Amino acid sequence: MEFWRFDTSAPSLGPLLEGAYDPLLVTLSIAIACFAGLTALMLADRMVASPTARSKTWWHIGGAVAMGFGIWAMHFSAMLAFSVAGHENMEYSLSLTVLSLVPAMLGSGAALHFMAHPNLRWHQLFVGALLMAVGIGSMHYTGMEAMRMEGLRYHFPFFVLSIVVAFLLALAALYLHFRVRRLPAFSESGMTLVAGVFMGFAMAGMHYTAMGASRFYEPPVAAAHDSLLSHGGMAATIGGFAGLVLGLSLSVTWVERQKAIQRMLAHLANTDALTGLPNRVHFRQRLGLALSHSQRHGTRLAVLFMDLNDFKTINDSLGHATGDRVLKEFARRLTGPVRGEDTVARFGGDEFIILIQDLNAPEDAVQTAERLLRAMDAPIEFDDWKLHAQASIGISIYPDDSEQADELIQQADTAMYRAKRHDCGYHFFDKAMTDRAMLRVRLGNDLRDALKQDRLFLQYQPQVNLRTGKWTGVEALARWQHPREGNIPPTTFVPLAERTGLALPLGEWALRRACQQGRVWLAAGLEFGRIAVNVTAPQLARPGFVMQLRRILESADFPARYLELEITESSLMHSDQGTIERLHEIRRMGVTLAIDDFGIGYSALSYLKNLPIDKLKIDRSFVHGVLNDPRDQAIIRAVADMGASLGFTVLAEGIETEEQGEFVLRLGCRQGQGFFFALPADAETIAVALNGSRREESALGRR
């Protein structure tokens, strides 16, 4: 294979042979080129429309193969159209014929890569055109060598001109691909057809310009070659491969294009034209699917019906164009506060509807309602106007209010009008839910104020040795006496603190106050054992928690050996390596660590050998049934035996009778806590009890 056939003065060359073209086959080659160009453009559009990188890659590969076969077929169709005097039925080298496909595909892949860009800069157009020209030029001259004509020579000026023409035509084809499709006078199909035809003529123009550089001389002796394709074999190969690949590519592209059109029409049918949100039809479909999901999994969902207060005034006074701008801004703000799996839709006019799935409790919908109302607090500003658009929200709950989609929507609509009438922002369809939700909101605000103004307090419940009755420690329990609602139990305000972002300040307050009280008791010479303080999962998850604990101990001048941190078993189930390392660091400080509510978290027992734990507190649910339920007895005995084997102290919570205490002791548990021994009491009461115990021990010592 010779690449540099520019010597036309070699003495071995015979006379120059005349060449001629078959007009019908020339027309066929140009048609194939146009067909390949059209296929390439459609495949480029499929690449742009592909939703994922994976599908885009497959379209790119398939497009490069199809377009490469098209260019290759155009070249050899044109070669079949060309004949040299005395060599009318040329034969072609099989290996070089196949090899010429490679640069055609590579050049096509480069062209498709740039054609798939939504916008191209000039330097990208130049690079794309250059790669395409090099690929097609390489294919052409490799295909010329496949003819195995020893007398073939190239006229050097025309050879250079063919490369330049190839580059210019490729540049023009790429440029036209972007310019023509922006012309409004053409339909999309018309633009694609025009650009495809031009690209086909460009590819054909590259070939026939390059053919102008070819000179054919009569060789003195025919050389031996590898296996050859006959003239008829080449025609059959071109027709078979080109027709199959281009036909399949065009068919697949057309089918995918129709699917894309169907998806677009479905999107238009399910989307609100003004806001881009799902419309009423789409929302009902989503609600139906969500109801089926909730029925299968036993979960709740909420429907929130929402509209703008006084929107009619905005429309009447400022015009419908301004009203549309307000609605679009309103819709934009609505999408921020909701989760990705939830649905925000425009129901009609100034009415919007939101679907919230997988609720733990009906009141959880309030969090979303409050976020939506806060999203509308900021004024809507445009031009010289600053509009305050307030909203009202109605809430219905599945299955509490209804199990039917239409009824849930209607109930939420009714609740929305109640919210408007009472000017309260949101309202449940069930008034009792509204009252509970409003109370929770008010308590959340009051809890924040109570923490700031130090209106919470601690009570302490003793932990005792079941054999001797002597105190081994006290557990600090947070209490809240609300000025209007009275005593708020921890089961209410602790989850409330977690939902309102107050868990960390509440935990820090309890820890600091307990350490300060412990210092007071130590200064008074009172032996209280240890003070146990509950620590939440968010506290442990903070990287700075250990440093905070050390500062609290130092500021209170409270020795770490008198402090015990209680961690719920469920918190440890989800602990990461960072949390475990913090627990080890806390243990090295001298602080005792206990697992609270042990037995109900379903944690792996293998955790116990890796965690720096000192105490297991058996959950009160097992103690309540210990007198009558053999299963509770077996669990307490197993935990006590396991704790003793691993060197843990085991304490039973919730002991309310003497019989329970004795039974738990017989099962192997050495410590207990509960109402039988003492109710939670304030620090002064605990100090009095400790003083009394100290005097009794002193009297016994004197005897």
Side-chain angles (χ1 to χ4, degrees):
M1 178 176 176
E2 296 183 45
F3 289 102
W4 305 106
R5 296 172 173 265
F6 300 121
D7 183 11
T8 59
S9 59
S12 60
L13 292 177
L16 181 65
L17 303 176
E18 294 292 331
Y21 285 99
D22 183 335
L24 182 61
L25 291 178
V26 169
T27 303
L28 176 62
S29 70
I30 296 175
I32 292 175
C34 293
F35 191 43
L38 180 62
T39 303
L41 295 181
M42 296 183 71
L43 290 170
D45 289 340
R46 287 290 85 220
M47 287 176 61
V48 173
S50 296
T52 64
R54 182 184 179 89
S55 62
K56 192 184 296 290
T57 300
W58 281 112
W59 277 111
H60 193 177
I61 294 173
V65 171
M67 185 176 175
F69 262 107
I71 296 172
W72 178 86
M74 178 275 302
H75 168 81
F76 282 100
S77 296
M79 292 306 300
L80 290 176
F82 180 76
S83 61
V84 180
H87 300 272
E88 285 77 10
N89 292 304
M90 294 183 183
E91 295 181 319
Y92 298 86
S93 167
L94 178 61
S95 59
L96 288 181
T97 300
V98 174
L99 180 63
S100 65
L101 262 174
V102 176
M105 291 180 183
L106 293 178
S108 299
L112 282 173
H113 171 75
F114 288 98
M115 288 164 63
H117 278 274
N119 291 291
L120 281 184
R121 301 181 183 276
W122 276 107
H123 71 276
Q124 292 174 312
L125 280 172
F126 276 103
V127 172
L130 180 61
L131 292 175
M132 185 176 177
V134 169
I136 296 177
S138 300
M139 182 277 303
H140 174 86
Y141 287 106
T142 304
M144 293 293 291
E145 288 297 314
M147 291 190 302
R148 290 304 192 184
M149 289 195 66
E150 300 300 327
L152 174 62
R153 294 293 184 271
Y154 301 118
H155 187 256
F156 185 75
F158 270 91
F159 177 86
V160 174
L161 179 63
S162 69
I163 303 299
V164 173
V165 169
F167 169 74
L168 293 177
L169 289 175
L171 180 65
L174 290 178
Y175 179 76
L176 186 67
H177 171 64
F178 292 101
R179 295 302 299 175
V180 171
R181 70 181 183 184
R182 289 180 171 85
L183 294 177
F186 292 94
S187 66
E188 185 179 0
S189 299
M191 289 189 288
T192 303
L193 182 61
V194 170
V197 169
F198 183 86
M199 183 166 286
F201 273 96
M203 288 186 290
M206 298 174 197
H207 169 84
Y208 288 108
T209 303
M211 286 298 293
S214 303
R215 301 289 186 270
F216 296 91
Y217 296 88
E218 183 69 43
V221 180
H225 304 298
D226 61 1
S227 57
L228 300 177
L229 280 172
S230 66
H231 192 275
M234 177 60 73
T237 301
I238 293 172
F241 276 105
L244 178 64
V245 174
L246 290 179
L248 284 176
S249 300
L250 202 57
S251 298
V252 171
T253 303
W254 184 85
V255 170
E256 283 295 316
R257 187 181 184 86
Q258 297 307 307
K259 290 182 178 179
I261 292 173
Q262 291 175 0
R263 289 193 295 268
M264 180 186 68
L265 293 175
H267 175 76
L268 292 175
N270 291 314
T271 303
D272 176 61
L274 177 64
T275 63
L277 295 176
N279 59 17
R280 181 185 307 196
V281 174
H282 191 192
F283 180 83
R284 289 182 184 275
Q285 294 171 353
R286 292 293 302 272
L287 179 56
L289 294 174
L291 286 172
S292 299
H293 171 83
S294 294
Q295 290 166 359
R296 288 194 305 272
H297 297 89
T299 58
R300 284 185 170 91
L301 63 80
V303 175
L304 280 63
F305 205 98
M306 187 176 191
D307 84 344
L308 285 170
N309 300 335
D310 299 325
F311 179 72
K312 186 176 185 300
T313 304
I314 296 175
N315 256 347
D316 293 343
S317 59
L318 301 178
H320 290 280
T322 300
D324 287 347
R325 295 178 68 174
V326 171
L327 289 176
K328 286 193 285 188
E329 174 62 17
F330 185 62
R332 186 191 66 80
R333 295 188 186 186
L334 287 183
T335 56
V338 300
R339 303 168 302 176
E341 62 267 28
D342 299 328
T343 302
V344 180
R346 185 185 180 199
F347 207 67
D350 63 331
E351 296 175 337
F352 294 82
I353 194 164
I354 300 100
L355 169 63
I356 308 297
Q357 301 188 67
D358 297 325
L359 297 177
N360 294 320
E363 291 81 4
D364 292 342
V366 174
Q367 298 179 29
T368 302
E370 291 172 350
R371 289 196 299 267
L372 291 170
L373 292 174
R374 284 196 299 271
M376 295 308 300
D377 283 344
I380 298 175
E381 300 183 27
F382 54 86
D383 299 336
D384 296 327
W385 293 98
K386 184 181 291 187
L387 301 175
H388 291 269
Q390 300 300 319
S392 296
I393 302 175
I395 306 172
S396 61
I397 303 294
Y398 165 88
D400 304 66
D401 296 324
S402 176
E403 298 183 2
Q404 302 299 319
D406 289 339
E407 289 183 3
L408 286 168
I409 294 172
Q410 182 59 46
Q411 290 166 348
D413 189 16
T414 301
M416 183 268 294
Y417 281 103
R418 291 177 186 170
K420 278 182 177 291
R421 187 164 58 250
H422 294 95
D423 193 24
C424 57
Y426 61 86
H427 202 288
F428 281 92
F429 179 72
D430 182 353
K431 185 179 183 300
M433 287 187 186
T434 301
D435 294 340
R436 290 195 297 269
M438 297 297 288
L439 175 61
R440 201 194 76 177
V441 173
R442 187 169 69 251
L443 288 180
N445 295 329
D446 293 346
L447 179 59
R448 190 180 304 275
D449 294 337
L451 277 172
K452 290 180 180 178
Q453 300 171 16
D454 200 20
R455 291 204 298 259
L456 298 176
F457 61 94
L458 291 179
Q459 288 186 333
Y460 303 87
Q461 186 175 38
Q463 299 173 344
V464 302
N465 185 310
L466 294 178
R467 288 185 181 276
T468 65
K470 184 179 179 180
W471 290 13
T472 60
V474 293
E475 181 179 0
L477 302 168
R479 295 292 184 262
W480 182 20
Q481 187 69 25
H482 194 277
R484 292 187 304 276
E485 303 295 335
N487 178 53
I488 307 296
T491 53
T492 297
F493 72 77
V494 171
L496 183 62
E498 293 175 352
R499 285 196 295 265
T500 55
L502 296 175
L504 293 178
L506 177 61
E508 181 183 355
W509 170 86
L511 192 58
R512 189 180 301 278
R513 182 56 58 86
C515 291
Q516 292 170 349
Q517 184 59 57
R519 178 69 264 173
V520 172
W521 287 337
L522 287 177
L526 301 178
E527 297 182 7
F528 56 86
R530 294 187 181 88
I531 295 181
V533 182
N534 287 280
V535 177
T536 63
Q539 285 179 278
L540 281 176
R542 290 186 63 189
F545 175 70
V546 177
M547 183 63 68
Q548 182 189 71
L549 176 61
R550 185 176 285 111
R551 285 198 303 266
I552 290 173
L553 291 170
E554 291 174 353
S555 64
D557 192 22
F558 188 58
R561 66 180 180 275
Y562 291 106
L563 178 64
E564 179 175 281
L565 298 184
E566 293 188 1
I567 308 148
T568 60
E569 185 182 14
S570 57
S571 298
L572 291 176
M573 284 175 58
H574 306 291
S575 57
D576 56 13
Q577 188 59 37
T579 299
I580 295 174
E581 291 174 359
R582 281 188 283 278
L583 291 175
H584 280 283
E585 191 173 353
I586 291 170
R587 176 81 175 282
R588 288 193 294 269
M589 291 168 55
V591 177
T592 303
L593 296 174
I595 298 181
D596 197 12
D597 302 333
F598 187 79
I600 63 172
Y602 311 104
S603 64
L605 296 180
S606 60
Y607 260 49
L608 294 179
K609 69 177 183 180
N610 300 320
L611 292 173
I613 299 300
D614 302 284
K615 180 185 289 187
L616 302 178
K617 298 185 69 176
I618 300 175
D619 186 71
R620 64 184 68 247
S621 62
F622 303 112
V623 175
H624 286 173
V626 72
L627 298 179
N628 304 310
D629 193 336
R631 293 172 297 181
D632 286 339
Q633 297 168 10
I635 290 173
I636 292 176
R637 181 183 289 110
V639 174
D641 292 344
M642 179 187 64
S645 300
L646 295 175
F648 298 148
T649 300
V650 180
L651 180 147
E653 295 184 287
I655 297 176
E656 299 180 354
T657 66
E658 183 177 1
E659 291 80 7
Q660 287 177 341
E662 292 174 352
F663 209 111
V664 165
L665 179 60
R666 288 200 299 271
L667 292 174
C669 186
R670 300 291 183 264
Q671 293 188 18
Q673 178 182 344
F675 292 164
F676 171 68
F677 305 106
L679 297 175
D682 56 32
E684 292 75 14
T685 303
I686 296 294
V688 170
L690 290 172
N691 267 318
S693 176
R694 183 174 61 178
R695 284 195 296 270
E696 288 179 5
E697 291 178 358
S698 298
L700 289 173
R702 287 194 296 272
R703 293 177 187 173

